[in-house]
Amino acid sequence: MAKAAAFIEIPVEADKVWQLIGGFNALPNWLPYIPQSELQEEGRVRHLANPDGSVIIERLMAFDEKERSYSYHILQAPFPVKDYYSTLRVKKSSDGGGSRVEWFGEFAPVDVSDQEASSLFQGIYEDGLKALKEHYVS
């Protein structure tokens, strides 16, 4: 399995950041790559559209309001991977004055190397978290 992980420190309290990103349907509120999201199956499956019109379908696998995290599995996407499982989590920063947002996943590459697949998702995670921070600090 290949892996990718990214984090960012944001000078905003963790609960406030979680209010923005914690909903399984909230990606369009902060992630420019995903302009549209629609929930199905009583909120457990989301159908996402990216700017080029590709469809991404993801299933919510775990949700923890207290720990401010959720994990999901990609069912369908234009990415060269299978068995994708990822977690998005918001923690209090070590100094307690802000938040640390973590986004990490693992997946099996399909017709690409582990490094290529990891680089793809590393970029998605890093760009997404940068956009999240810019939502608060610009």
Side-chain angles (χ1 to χ4, degrees):
M1 295 292 271
K3 297 179 180 185
F7 74 91
I8 199 162
E9 299 279 337
I10 300 175
V12 176
E13 68 179 56
D15 286 337
K16 186 172 182 178
V17 174
W18 181 245
Q19 285 176 349
L20 175 65
I21 73 171
F24 194 53
N25 202 34
L27 288 179
N29 297 337
W30 62 275
L31 187 61
Y33 180 72
I34 302 295
Q36 182 180 351
S37 176
E38 179 183 314
L39 291 179
Q40 296 183 345
E41 295 185 29
E42 298 179 6
R44 305 250 336 140
V45 173
R46 64 184 175 194
H47 287 242
L48 308 171
N50 67 17
D52 71 7
S54 297
V55 174
I56 303 166
I57 302 173
E58 299 173 336
R59 176 175 296 281
L60 181 64
M61 302 302 288
F63 184 88
D64 189 328
E65 184 75 30
K66 183 178 177 188
E67 295 296 319
R68 294 182 296 271
S69 73
Y70 70 80
S71 298
Y72 62 97
H73 174 71
I74 290 180
L75 303 175
Q76 175 188 328
F79 306 126
V81 299
K82 64 179 182 177
D83 301 325
Y84 175 99
Y85 188 83
S86 183
T87 298
L88 184 62
R89 175 170 53 209
V90 181
K91 302 168 88 174
K92 288 183 180 179
S93 61
S94 57
D95 67 8
S99 58
R100 175 185 168 108
V101 182
E102 302 171 343
W103 196 359
F104 51 93
E106 63 180 28
F107 33 84
V110 175
D111 298 328
V112 297
S113 69
D114 282 11
Q115 179 60 40
E116 289 171 306
S118 292
S119 292
L120 170 68
F121 286 101
Q122 188 71 34
I124 290 171
Y125 297 166
E126 289 175 359
D127 290 348
L129 294 178
K130 181 180 173 191
L132 174 62
K133 185 172 185 174
E134 288 172 356
H135 178 83
Y136 293 106
V137 182
S138 50

